[in-house]
Amino acid sequence: MSIEDDDHVEWNREVRGETPIQQLDRNWLALLQELRVVQTGVQLLTGFLLTLPFQGRFTDLSTVGHAVYLVTVSASTMATILLVAPVGMHRLLFRQRAIGVLVTTGNRLAIGGIAMLGVTLVGAAALTFEIVVGELASLVAAAVVALLLVGFWYLLPRANRPRD
């Protein structure tokens, strides 16, 4: 445990009246709730992406569009794997007194899954815009979605972190 972790544990004890184990339990429940929200959407998006090659207009995609599709479906599959992994870990580590490992590893897996979801959303926007409007619009749409993701998913939380 680092000094920063010690400060965090101390703050939780003083302000919330929580023991370190109670804090881990609360963090695990919060993580599971967040995963419930994102898992369903990612699984539906992955299912939708897997059906695209069987649609008539799929052949209208450029060679780059086909490559974007493969990257997008791969990212979506990876997002699903990463976002479901903490639940699988919990089942395998059930009653093993591994809540600290579950929270730490689950948090990392969730962040990785959300990053892969971001790649998926950029690719999905690019694919949709290429089919409907064309390749240039595809690039613009992908760039706009990427900028929005970086802005809302990374910069906004960083800008709103509490300062000591």
Side-chain angles (χ1 to χ4, degrees):
M1 233 184 208
S2 69
I3 292 172
E4 221 174 74
D5 290 336
D6 290 340
D7 289 343
H8 189 70
V9 168
E10 183 64 24
W11 183 89
N12 274 291
R13 187 185 62 71
E14 288 178 13
V15 174
R16 290 194 162 137
E18 289 180 327
T19 67
I21 295 297
Q22 288 171 324
Q23 178 187 351
L24 287 170
D25 286 340
R26 179 178 49 78
N27 291 164
W28 176 245
L29 292 175
L31 178 62
L32 285 179
Q33 191 63 15
E34 293 165 5
L35 290 173
R36 280 185 195 104
V37 169
V38 75
Q39 280 175 349
T40 304
V42 168
Q43 289 168 341
L44 288 169
L45 182 55
T46 302
F48 169 73
L49 286 168
L50 291 172
T51 67
L52 284 183
F54 305 104
Q55 305 302 314
R57 299 226 22 222
F58 187 77
T59 56
D60 293 346
L61 284 173
S62 66
T63 303
V64 172
H66 283 98
V68 168
Y69 169 76
L70 291 174
V71 169
T72 302
V73 80
S74 296
S76 185
T77 301
M78 191 67 191
T80 301
I81 291 167
L82 291 171
L83 293 168
V84 174
V87 177
M89 280 185 61
H90 182 257
R91 285 295 92 212
L92 293 172
L93 297 175
F94 188 65
R95 294 189 177 174
Q96 301 295 311
R97 297 184 184 109
I99 190 73
V101 170
L102 286 170
V103 170
T104 301
T105 306
N107 180 59
R108 290 181 182 137
L109 290 166
I111 290 169
I114 290 168
M116 288 295 98
L117 173 59
V119 171
T120 302
L121 293 173
V122 170
L127 290 168
T128 302
F129 274 76
E130 181 177 332
I131 289 289
V132 175
V133 187
E135 289 182 51
L136 180 59
S138 169
L139 291 172
V140 172
V144 168
V145 171
L147 287 171
L148 288 169
L149 290 173
V150 169
F152 286 113
W153 288 6
Y154 182 75
L155 296 176
L156 182 64
R158 303 263 315 163
N160 286 289
R161 286 191 318 187
R163 308 254 191 300
D164 289 332

